[in-house]
Amino acid sequence: MIDVELEVLGRARDLAYPETRRAVMTLHDDIRRPTEYHLGWTDVDGTPLGGKGGKGVRTALAIVSAEAAGAPAEVGAPGAVAIELIHNFPLLHDDIIDTDRERRHRPTVWALFGVGSAIIVGDALMALAPQVLLEEVTPERVSATRRLLDATAAMIAGQADDMAFEGADDVSLSACMRMVEGKTGALLAFASSVGAVLAGADIDVVEALESYGRHLGVSFQALDDVLGIWGDPRITGKPVGGDLAQRKKTLPVCAALACERREAAELRALLAGEALDAAAIARASQLVEACGGRAFTEQLAETHLACALDALRSGALDPHAVSELEALARFVTRRDH
Amino acid sequence: MIDVELEVLGRARDLAYPETRRAVMTLHDDIRRPTEYHLGWTDVDGTPLGGKGGKGVRTALAIVSAEAAGAPAEVGAPGAVAIELIHNFPLLHDDIIDTDRERRHRPTVWALFGVGSAIIVGDALMALAPQVLLEEVTPERVSATRRLLDATAAMIAGQADDMAFEGADDVSLSACMRMVEGKTGALLAFASSVGAVLAGADIDVVEALESYGRHLGVSFQALDDVLGIWGDPRITGKPVGGDLAQRKKTLPVCAALACERREAAELRALLAGEALDAAAIARASQLVEACGGRAFTEQLAETHLACALDALRSGALDPHAVSELEALARFVTRRDH
């Protein structure tokens, strides 16, 4: 299984990397350098690291989604570039908003190059993504661009929810789910279908892949939320209970707040209180677990993974691509790597 | 003359405002509210101010550029909405970067709603602008979208130059001109031609209008740079010598640094020095003037205004629209209002 997973990731990266690189090289020097650093291509001083960036799950989804529609992998490449760029711009901006000084065990762009730099680098990547798609004007490229812009808007609305919820005492599970579908689901739905859109696939093929991506996004976010409270900082690269310290209303927290037990009231009061020190954070994570927030969220991740896999049955998709999408879904939702 | 100017501004605003409003209303509540405030539609507490935003020069350029190509004003409306949105996103981000707490005599969005809010509001407006253009898919809409994205990328590169120059001891006039053409020229060239693009006008018409807008942008920026050093804070809403305090390498400064006089060396040393107090800023502005930086920049503004007006002769443009574009150019480059 590992081999299948690595094969598709490596293959997609090899295909998309030169294209992404070509797009990034068109940027202003002072934007390109922080971009190359952020993408993991170079070190702080600009020395090439010899790698091609992160695991490249979104890249692989874009490439395989072209194959799922019966098209050659290359057809998905502009979509792979666009999703890589559009996925990274909010990371640059979020790190400023959350004052996170580290990402993936490295200093964040704002911490290294300054807030101004991180803001305009994010802006530049956001402008570049639709530019890449519209380099050629075909009905398929235009359709992909519209979908990219819609997904971007949905993602930003999800971020707005996320930020608003930090200051809210209570957030319903349905509001939290809406936030997750926007913040994470929209871009994964785009990534998982853009290749098919570029291939001019039938709407039922596109919709099956979108559904797969949206469910996969929710499953991924649910597991990420669990790690945000109970994850090992050495692996996640984030502080213990970091999400709780920021009073984020993640899925486990919203599920816990929705329960009838008296622990939920204690949790609510704790998260609405003044200072959240280490003891308060530890207590809060106990309370979330006692109220079933962890178990609920882990189950939610399972359910949405199953829905994602089910969605692959509903369209007339290429069987080999389906097996790769299945492997990618398991890879994304198994965080021990 | 005043009446002609006001007529076209009011007419364009009346036409574009409902469309801009409709687009803004699609945004998440927590993004829409700061947007309405920033655009001058509402007060801090959300109370409608009854106005339709600023002077609306860019709106008017977009509308009139449709008429210049012989099309009805309405054809330019989606372009007017897009330029209004794309013009405002960097203002939101620049105010954070420059830590400016006031704009047009009102608190800036980051000062009022927080840095995180100002970042994602800017992001949302940047995504919304091409979405509005691509609401309908026609060759004209797609072409306008590509031009919007190209202009946005050029503007961001201009900002990157602007920021880099703050830390540079010396910036050549040609580098400064390139920065101004990107930072201000690109979006005004887009604003001044998008209506014609949407009307499906011939390339010579589009290029004449682009040339007009690019020159107008440089002329405007030159005058803005003069005001940034010698302007009356009660009128500009900016601190005296604010640009010098930030060590911005604006046109007057770069022109002064390029001169052979010994005052240029003193200016260079002053701007590279540690602290820039009020006395140092006053001395720096004297030195810029002594080196001819002010006179050069004022002359540059005149020259580019003349070029802008000349460009209107080169295409087969509607004569009434041309007279309105002439009036708009004079309005934009006469800052005593």
Side-chain angles (χ1 to χ4, degrees), chain B residues 32-47:
Chain B
R32 177 183 50 75
R33 274 189 294 260
T35 300
E36 292 181 285
Y37 167 78
H38 174 79
L39 293 175
W41 297 352
T42 60
D43 209 341
V44 180
D45 55 6
T47 311

Side-chain angles (χ1 to χ4, degrees), chain B residues 219 222-223 297-307 333:
Chain B
S219 183
L223 293 175
T297 308
E298 286 171 345
Q299 182 55 50
L300 191 79
E302 285 300 316
T303 305
H304 280 272
L305 174 59
C307 290
T333 52

Side-chain angles (χ1 to χ4, degrees), chain B residues 63-75:
Chain B
I63 296 292
V64 177
S65 77
E67 296 177 311
E74 291 75 22
V75 169

Side-chain angles (χ1 to χ4, degrees), chain A residues 20-300:
Chain A
T20 309
R21 196 162 173 78
R22 190 173 60 80
V24 167
M25 288 301 133
T26 65
L27 296 170
H28 187 286
D29 282 355
D30 292 345
I31 293 173
R32 177 184 50 76
R33 275 189 294 262
T35 300
E36 292 182 286
Y37 168 79
H38 174 80
L39 293 174
W41 297 353
T42 61
D43 210 339
V44 179
D45 56 7
T47 312
L49 291 174
K52 294 175 181 174
K55 292 189 287 283
V57 167
R58 289 166 189 80
T59 299
L61 291 171
I63 296 292
V64 178
S65 76
E67 296 176 312
E74 291 74 22
V75 169
V81 178
I83 185 63
E84 179 75 1
L85 296 170
I86 215 77
H87 165 61
N88 277 285
F89 104 77
L91 302 184
L92 288 153
H93 286 180
D94 281 352
D95 286 340
I96 302 170
I97 296 171
D98 295 340
T99 62
D100 283 338
R101 303 191 67 92
E102 281 207 358
R103 171 175 291 277
R104 300 181 203 123
H105 308 282
R106 307 166 84 212
T108 47
V109 169
W110 75 263
L112 213 51
F113 298 88
V115 167
S117 177
I119 289 177
I120 73 161
V121 170
D123 292 347
L125 300 189
M126 188 179 172
L128 187 55
Q131 265 188 310
V132 167
L133 286 175
L134 280 186
E135 249 174 34
E136 290 172 27
V137 177
T138 62
E140 294 78 18
R141 292 284 194 115
V142 172
S143 176
T145 306
R146 295 180 80 186
R147 286 166 184 274
L148 173 74
L149 294 170
D150 290 348
T152 306
M155 185 265 294
I156 293 170
Q159 281 183 297
D161 270 339
D162 200 12
M163 285 166 62
F165 293 172
E166 287 181 27
D169 288 350
D170 229 332
V171 174
S172 72
L173 250 179
S174 64
C176 188
M177 280 300 295
R178 184 193 63 195
M179 182 263 282
V180 167
E181 281 175 17
K183 195 178 69 164
T184 313
L187 285 193
L188 270 189
F190 172 79
S192 304
S193 59
V194 64
V197 172
L198 290 169
D202 287 346
I203 188 68
D204 61 324
V205 167
V206 172
E207 284 180 354
L209 291 165
E210 274 188 326
S211 174
Y212 158 86
R214 187 166 293 108
H215 284 296
L216 186 57
V218 174
S219 182
F220 168 83
Q221 188 60 56
L223 293 174
D224 202 55
D225 284 355
V226 168
L227 288 174
I229 299 179
W230 297 281
D232 182 341
R234 286 167 302 180
I235 295 171
T236 64
K238 296 173 188 172
V240 182
D243 282 355
L244 289 172
Q246 282 190 263
R247 301 164 203 272
K248 283 198 181 289
K249 302 302 180 298
T250 59
L251 286 164
V253 172
C254 292
L257 289 173
C259 98
E260 302 286 322
R261 298 177 60 168
R262 60 175 171 71
E263 283 93 341
E266 187 187 342
L267 176 66
R268 190 174 294 110
L270 202 58
L271 291 176
E274 281 302 295
L276 278 173
D277 58 13
I281 291 169
R283 178 67 185 149
S285 73
Q286 282 172 355
L287 292 168
V288 174
E289 193 148 7
C291 292
R294 180 174 186 162
F296 170 87
T297 308
E298 285 170 347
Q299 182 54 53
L300 191 78

